[in-house]
């Protein structure tokens, strides 16, 4: 888990650098300070489970097996990315990895994630879905419809909210008149848990329990992971609206540093081993970026491929069909 | 062959597909014990059970989204909207999720969204709409508009088997009003093939849905005046059978574009664009569009009657084109 | 209040008759058995307050001063109805009466009602809005967005849910995994009350308290009124899916009979006075129907009037503009 | 006169209207302290205060609905969508509530819905859309698409003063890219009047939004070849200045219909319908439509470049029309 968190952190640093260099265009979002959430949960998925990560959950992509170079290729708009250059930043999906792509409309993925969970239920497969979203997204109607729907049908799904205290520039107290996202779960009749989202072990334990319940037909759980967005909303946002003290306070709660400490204290990894792991990560990233930059841009001739099935080209990075006839 | 109403033909098409493929299932409001607001799904709960005939909460985003997710995993959901008008409440899921998933990351969304559309039954501004255009305009979606019982069955089957999201707009005025002999068993009407509903040489009336009958009614009258109208029933708006349209235009050189949906930004414009680009040389007269005027569908009988295009409108247009 | 409830009951009976005679076309909905809800609440509104009734709240229209003959004219599609024949059944609105029309998309009125309440807040007017909806509507996302929004901005509004145990053919337990609509209020940080919706005095008291709070800047309240739909969903629905016993059980709880009893027991009205009132109601209704049937149908030439402001004709039944420039 | 970017012109127009009329207020996400994702509302919170510059929760139905209710009561809300693309999430409120209220029961809804639309900035499939068509097709809504700083200010003012719901789609590519001298104080550009952006006699290019600049660029090149293109900037799609369109067609007899929005069901079709009905006699060549192809807006630079119509497309079309 330390590896995933650190890999996510460093990849995002590298993505930011590429963005500042003008090599990555459009906008980029980071999950800085929030790495424990996607890591501590996605690590629990089995091969046939599915994840629906949102824009601050890069570790979920990594844990599901999407290779760093493929991710960089995606950000760079290259043909070897899972969208073959059709989409950018965290809008990645891959049937092969059972990563279901979110779309920009916040919370629109939640009803869709329910449908993926439903397919497991329908086919009597013992699998679960992890569905991620932010605090702001819970103000949206689709979120409500989906939470209610998941509870009514007891779908095998775990809803993971990263409460990072802001939706863009808007603090949670302007998003809602309650203190916690979990205050909402009672309206759906599903269990909920609130955990320290910067403690990867706490996320792990809560998710484990929720997955167990979901797999055994007990229905969904809402987990609120309290955390803080240690960046602007996107790379072009300086976040001047965030009080400095908040950044300082939460810097002291870095999930990576905290987990390092746990591992060292429990004698599971030495400082040296950690340093070596980090070196390896740095190297892997450089190799990945290099390989991604060698990937060609898509060709203008591909523009219309795959609007419909009859014009779809094969994409080795994403295309494994999960079932017949699709 | 068996005699079937338009509504029965839809039911039969769905029923046979559900028998054929265990991945096909239904989602919607009141489709189970109640059999749906128009009874299209009557009897299905008893036959197929709760696993496959699913009554949902009143939450279109939730169940359309669930259908999308299930389709991505390879199931074949059919979603019933109680009235097609309510498609506006789950618009984002359709145009941003379902329509773009394959293009973006290769995830096909083989689902059907169906429901009663159209006016003429005093449904008023919220139960009479023809909601096709925003979906025609969204790349990645297919749009089907059956006008006969034969097509209703053959097209719903094609829609269910299609690998992409298909919007299938039934016309509620036709549900019980038309009855035809149709083949008893399995047959498919492929998406994207128009039908010549009546052969003619003097003027082409290009239309779809319930307006096919308006065009045919007008053609009867016109025939008595020596004007032979050709009536093209498009059957699908996407994919469009452009060749059939252009062929008829080349043959008659005079064109009426007719639909029940309102005029501004309606499908007649798209047809006009294609014809004026690709068959300009063949035209001997201006194109004429006939559509509902640009206002909400009114409730009161005299207003709704004035609102909906009728045979008289078509007859007059055909006469004026002939005289041109 | 007895008058309003009875008038609503009898008008709906009359509407049903006109519908069965083919004089009213389209579909018609009744609030049979639910008359106490719109009556016990709308009766508390002051002249400048506003109501947003839904499809089983006919008494709210009456209490706000819409005349029975105008309502019949509306149902009959005549020019003297508040929509001049453009819309039917319960889709009525009138600025003059501060009745804000709902639209068919269930719960879509709730955000709009918030906006009306906001206008009071913005203009520092001491007014409130009563917004009505059914149990099924609370499954919709717009409902959630609006409840949250109302709470965040402490809008002067009272949300009244008629929980009549069914949404069309779907019983509440298939709509949600919680027992009560009020279970949802905790997710919005607003107070809630659950009352016997067939007891007009209980509705009255709960609404009175909520209005007081709203008027004094204390924000919204959610009131759940437990009741039962003593009819099909609409006049063409035989409601075979409803267990007979439920109809029988709730027939014994008729809000009109109950309130009659209270009035008699407290010596406020004698049986005779009540009988006379009912006779008067019957007469008024016959006169109203007659007058409505004399109202002309709209003319085809009016079809396009009022799509935009520049073509809008004046409608004496609805058109009083609430403010300048509108 | 003062030099203003397109973005500044919008801000100035809103600012002046807020000064003029205390009933005008703003609703949207992150428009207060942050000044909006594109900073259109920068400085407004400080100047007008929290009562009139309102940051909302992330809930488009809630705040669009609130704006509708407030407008019915006579206030003049302006709603900012962070990206115009997200209009899909509150679609029902707009097309069913706002658009129909006046027609149904005489309740005017004087509000403006505005936001950044359009591509060319690598925004990908969810931040590059041109969402005008479903609203053009909904009776009761007005649709404004400014292409210059002068118009941006004059049209936002007209939109705010209009008694009906107006959709005002800004083009994000123009925000800081164009800068003009515009009048310092109050002026209004009335809705429904097109502008001749360039006078010509050989071919009419009828367009709007950022494509006006593509048309002008093409016209420069064509002029050197002796082809004088007339460029019509529609400014409003509803109400449409049909007379200006037909007048140009009658003058040049050759027509290119150009927009950035995708082709099928796009506005070019509506124009084609009107022209082929009403100026058929004047046409000396087929109509030509130039629009984005029917796929989602792709992210990667070479794909987006291939996707967007450009001057070369217009030049080639004009040449072929000239040669026809
Ligand atoms: C429906 C919709 N409206 C607006 C936006 C613009 N937007 C993108 S992210 C965002 C804030 C999201 O906040 P939250 O859900 O808390 O996630 P976070 O970014 O904090 O992780 C907004 C407003 C959007 N993506 N979708
Ligand atoms: C968005 C939407 N979907 C579906 C419908 C069709 N419909 C009309 S009323 C209704 C049930 C409403 O139930 P509830 O809110 O409990 O109100 P009730 O009729 O019981 O008073 C349904 C499904 C609708 N009007 N709007
Ligand atoms: Mg957040
Ligand atoms: Mg109900």
């Amino acid at each position: 888990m330390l590896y995933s968190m650190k890999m996510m952190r460093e990849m995002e640093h590298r993505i930011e650098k590429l963005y500042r260099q003008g090599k990555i265009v459009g906008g980029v979002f980071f999950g800085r300070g929030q790495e424990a959430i996607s890591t501590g949960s996605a690590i629990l998925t089995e091969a046939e489970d599915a994840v629906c990560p949102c824009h601050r959950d890069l570790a979920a992509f990594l844990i599901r097996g999407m290779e760093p170079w493929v991710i960089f290729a995606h950000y760079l708009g290259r043909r070897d990315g899972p969208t073959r250059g059709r989409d950018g930043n965290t809008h990645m999906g891959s049937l092969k990895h059972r990563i279901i792509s979110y779309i920009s409309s916040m919370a629109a993925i939640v009803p869709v994630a329910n449908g993926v969970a439903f397919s497991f239920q329908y086919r009597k497969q013992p699998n679960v879905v992890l569905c991620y979203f932010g605090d702001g997204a819970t103000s949206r109607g689709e979120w409500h419809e989906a939470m209610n729907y998941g509870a009514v049908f007891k779908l095998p799904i775990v809803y993971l909210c990263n409460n990072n205290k802001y939706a863009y520039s808007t603090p949670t107290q302007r998003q809602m008149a309650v203190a916690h996202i979990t205050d909402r779960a009672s309206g759906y009749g599903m269990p909920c848990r609130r955990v320290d989202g910067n403690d990867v072990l706490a996320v792990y334990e809560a998710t484990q329990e929720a997955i167990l319940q979901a797999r055994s037909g007990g229905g969904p759980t809402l987990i609120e992971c309290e955390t803080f967005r240690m960046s602007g909303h996107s790379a072009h946002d300086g976040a001047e609206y965030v009080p400095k003290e908040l950044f300082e306070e939460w810097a002291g709660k870095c999930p990576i540093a905290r987990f390092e400490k746990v591992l060292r204290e429990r004698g599971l990894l030495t400082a040296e081993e950690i340093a070596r792991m980090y070196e390896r990560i740095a190297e892997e990233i450089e190799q990945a970026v290099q390989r991604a930059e060698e990937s060609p841009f898509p060709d203008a001739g591909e523009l219309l491929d795959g609007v419909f099935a009859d014009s779809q080209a094969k994409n080795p990075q994403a295309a494994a069909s999960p079932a017949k006839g699709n | 062959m068996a005699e079937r109403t338009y509504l029965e033909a839809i039911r039969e098409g769905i029923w046979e597909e559900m028998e054929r493929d265990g991945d096909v299932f239904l989602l919607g409001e009141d489709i189970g014990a109640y059999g749906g607001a128009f009874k299209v799904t009557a009897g299905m709960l008893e036959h197929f059970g709760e696993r496959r005939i699913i009554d949902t909460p009143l939450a279109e985003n939730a169940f359309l989204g669930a259908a999308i997710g299930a389709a991505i995993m390879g199931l074949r959901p059919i979603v019933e909207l109680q009235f097609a008008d309510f498609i506006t409440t789950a618009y984002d899921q359709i145009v941003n999720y379902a329509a773009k998933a394959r293009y973006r990351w290769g995830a096909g969304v083989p689902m059907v969204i169906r429901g009663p559309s159209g006016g003429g039954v005093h449904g008023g501004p919220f139960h009479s709409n023809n909601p096709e255009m925003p979906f025609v305009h969204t790349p990645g979606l297919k749009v089907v508009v059956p006008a006969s019982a034969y097509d209703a069955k053959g097209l719903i089957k094609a829609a269910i088997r299609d690998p992409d999201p298909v919007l299938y707009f039934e016309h509620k005025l036709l549900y019980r009003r038309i009855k035809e002999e149709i083949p008893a068993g399995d047959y498919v009407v492929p998406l994207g093939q128009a039908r010549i509903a009546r052969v003619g040489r003097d003027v082409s009336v290009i239309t779809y849905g319930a307006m096919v009958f308006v065009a045919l009614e007008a053609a009867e009258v016109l025939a008595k005046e020596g004007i032979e109208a050709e009536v093209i029933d498009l059957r699908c708006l996407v994919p469009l059978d452009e060749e059939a349209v252009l062929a008829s235009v080349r043959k008659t050189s005079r064109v009426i574009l007719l639909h029940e949906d309102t005029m501004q930004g309606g499908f007649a414009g798209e047809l006009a664009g294609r014809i004026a680009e690709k068959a300009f040389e063949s035209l001997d007269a201006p194109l004429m569009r006939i559509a509902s005027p640009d206002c909400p569908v009114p409730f009161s009988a005299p207003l709704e009657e004035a609102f909906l295009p009728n045979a008289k409108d078509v007859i007059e247009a055909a006469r004026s084109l002939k005289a041109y």
Side-chain angles (χ1 to χ4, degrees), chain A, chain B:
Chain A
M1 294 202 286
L2 182 62
Y3 176 85
S4 295
M5 289 200 284
K6 184 68 175 176
M7 181 59 105
M8 168 168 170
R9 173 79 53 96
E10 296 304 322
M11 279 182 71
E12 290 189 344
H13 277 303
R14 197 64 177 82
I15 287 165
E16 184 163 10
K17 199 167 142 193
L18 289 164
Y19 174 77
R20 308 261 176 241
Q21 293 171 333
K23 291 188 175 178
I24 292 174
V25 296
V28 288
F29 305 88
F30 308 121
R32 207 164 288 157
Q34 307 183 192
E35 294 89 348
I37 298 168
S38 46
T39 299
S41 50
I43 201 90
L44 285 154
T45 56
E46 293 175 7
E48 303 282 288
D49 292 338
V51 298
C52 305
C54 208
H55 54 294
R56 307 200 195 275
D57 303 308
L58 188 62
F61 294 88
L62 295 167
I63 290 169
R64 292 299 303 175
M66 197 177 272
E67 294 172 79
W69 80 272
V70 171
I71 294 174
F72 282 115
H74 171 79
Y75 274 83
L76 290 159
R78 306 304 169 99
R79 195 193 270 146
D80 289 315
T83 71
R84 310 177 78 230
R86 274 85 184 284
D87 211 335
N89 61 69
T90 44
H91 291 117
M92 298 178 280
S94 166
L95 290 173
K96 177 165 90 175
H97 300 99
R98 300 225 159 184
I99 300 168
I100 311 300
S101 177
Y102 83 106
I103 63 172
S104 280
S105 320
M106 287 290 113
I109 185 62
V110 195
V112 175
N114 279 343
V116 176
F118 171 83
S119 78
F120 297 148
Q121 197 180 59
Y122 188 86
R123 290 181 165 140
K124 304 192 171 61
Q125 292 163 346
N127 293 108
V128 299
V129 177
L130 303 188
C131 177
Y132 301 82
F133 44 80
D135 46 283
T138 70
S139 295
R140 284 213 60 225
E142 296 192 43
W143 181 81
H144 168 77
E145 293 194 7
M147 297 295 287
N148 186 55
Y149 192 94
V152 165
F153 291 106
K154 283 196 172 297
L155 295 177
I157 186 165
V158 182
Y159 304 112
L160 287 137
C161 178
N162 87 66
N163 182 349
N164 63 7
K165 309 297 179 294
Y166 280 88
Y168 211 142
S169 75
T170 310
T172 36
Q173 61 271 25
R174 279 173 177 269
Q175 288 283 346
M176 53 197 206
V178 291
H180 304 290
I181 306 297
T182 46
D183 292 330
R184 291 187 164 157
S186 60
Y188 306 107
M190 69 171 78
C192 65
R193 289 281 301 269
R194 190 165 68 252
V195 300
D196 178 347
N198 284 24
D199 175 355
V200 71
L201 295 176
V203 173
Y204 184 94
E205 276 162 41
T207 311
Q208 192 168 39
E209 196 182 308
I211 287 183
L212 211 70
Q213 173 187 308
R215 267 200 228 289
S216 58
T221 302
L222 171 64
I223 302 177
E224 174 178 3
C225 304
E226 299 233 45
T227 184
F228 199 77
R229 193 188 72 198
M230 296 300 289
S231 64
H233 172 65
S234 63
H236 73 265
D237 167 20
E240 288 82 10
Y241 49 82
V242 178
K244 290 261 166 323
E245 312 82 66
L246 277 175
F247 278 130
E248 282 157 24
E249 179 194 333
W250 284 87
K253 301 184 188 169
C254 169
I256 298 180
R258 274 169 75 182
F259 192 50
E260 271 182 32
K261 190 151 165 269
V262 169
L263 291 172
R264 279 198 322 260
E265 283 176 2
R266 298 199 190 163
L268 295 166
L269 281 180
T270 65
E272 222 173 49
E273 285 168 325
I274 291 172
R276 246 178 294 135
M277 181 198 285
Y278 289 1
E279 268 168 45
R280 208 177 73 227
I281 285 172
E283 271 167 41
E284 284 180 47
I285 287 176
E286 284 324 301
Q287 282 164 13
V289 171
Q290 200 178 331
R291 185 161 173 203
E293 289 194 302
E294 284 163 12
S295 169
F297 278 102
D299 192 88
E302 299 166 29
L303 179 62
L304 289 173
D305 293 356
V307 176
F308 293 108
D310 50 16
S311 64
Q312 187 175 5
K314 278 277 157 282
N315 176 4
Q317 296 311 328
S321 219
K324 64 168 177 171
N326 193 0
Chain B
M1 301 294 278
E3 195 170 60
R4 294 280 181 271
T5 63
Y6 181 88
L7 186 148
E8 288 163 350
I10 299 167
R11 182 190 299 139
E12 193 166 284
I14 297 172
W15 197 293
E16 289 177 14
E17 290 303 295
M18 289 196 65
E19 296 280 10
R20 189 186 59 76
D21 182 353
D23 284 345
V24 178
F25 70 99
L26 263 57
L27 278 174
E29 290 155 352
D30 309 298
I31 62 170
Y34 193 65
F38 287 87
K39 305 286 178 195
V40 173
T41 58
M44 290 198 184
L45 177 67
E46 293 73 8
H47 189 76
F48 296 106
E50 286 203 350
R51 176 168 167 268
R52 297 178 70 193
I53 307 292
I54 304 170
D55 269 341
T56 66
L58 208 176
E60 278 76 4
N61 284 294
F63 65 77
L64 260 153
I68 294 170
I72 286 175
M73 299 307 285
L75 295 177
R76 297 268 170 173
I78 305 175
V79 174
E80 170 169 307
L81 296 166
Q82 202 155 83
F83 284 82
D85 307 63
F86 299 131
I87 202 163
T88 52
T89 64
Y91 188 64
D92 185 58
Q93 285 288 346
I94 302 170
V95 302
N96 278 327
Y97 211 114
K100 297 178 180 173
R102 184 185 296 281
Y103 187 75
R104 290 173 55 237
W105 56 290
V109 186
M111 70 189 282
V112 177
I113 303 171
R114 51 161 288 274
S117 65
V121 300
H122 314 303
F126 305 113
H127 294 79
S128 309
N129 231 53
N130 292 282
E132 55 265 25
M133 280 315 290
F135 308 103
V136 165
H137 188 50
T138 303
L141 302 175
K142 297 182 177 176
V143 181
V144 178
V145 282
S148 70
Y150 179 87
D151 287 348
K153 179 172 171 183
L155 287 168
I156 191 78
K157 287 180 161 245
I160 294 168
R161 296 180 196 181
D162 199 87
D164 288 308
V166 180
L167 293 131
Y168 180 96
F169 293 122
E170 302 156 15
H171 200 296
K172 63 175 85 65
L173 188 67
L174 304 182
Y175 271 153
R176 295 182 166 82
R177 236 162 276 222
I178 62 173
K179 208 170 186 151
E180 288 164 45
E181 292 285 330
I182 65 172
D186 187 42
Y187 69 92
V188 160
V189 174
L191 304 188
Q193 296 187 4
R195 168 177 81 98
I196 303 182
R198 180 185 175 113
V199 178
R201 55 160 199 270
D202 297 322
V203 56
S204 300
V205 185
I206 301 168
T207 189
Y208 58 93
M211 285 295 127
V212 170
F213 296 94
V214 168
L216 290 172
E217 187 190 332
E220 286 291 324
V221 176
L222 289 165
K224 294 187 189 123
E225 305 176 10
I227 302 176
E228 290 297 339
E230 176 149 301
V231 178
I232 304 290
D233 171 6
L234 293 172
R235 301 206 282 203
C236 286
L237 304 183
V238 184
L240 179 70
D241 190 348
E242 187 181 274
E243 252 327 296
V245 170
L246 298 179
S248 183
V249 171
R250 288 196 196 101
K251 175 169 153 194
T252 65
S253 303
R254 289 174 159 75
V255 184
I256 293 169
L257 307 168
L258 168 68
H259 54 66
E260 180 180 315
D261 190 12
T262 52
M263 176 73 88
Q264 187 168 267
F267 198 72
E270 177 61 25
L271 291 169
R274 295 191 191 223
I275 294 168
E277 279 176 336
K278 297 178 182 165
F280 176 74
E281 285 289 312
S282 309
L283 288 177
D284 284 346
L287 292 175
M288 292 190 76
R289 294 185 295 169
I290 300 175
S292 294
D294 290 305
C295 68
V297 187
F299 162 72
S300 188
L303 292 178
E304 193 182 21
E305 206 185 302
F307 175 84
L308 293 170
N310 58 33
K312 203 167 132 270
D313 300 329
V314 178
I315 293 164
E316 280 167 16
R319 285 184 193 140
S320 82
L321 283 179
K322 179 78 182 176
Y324 186 85

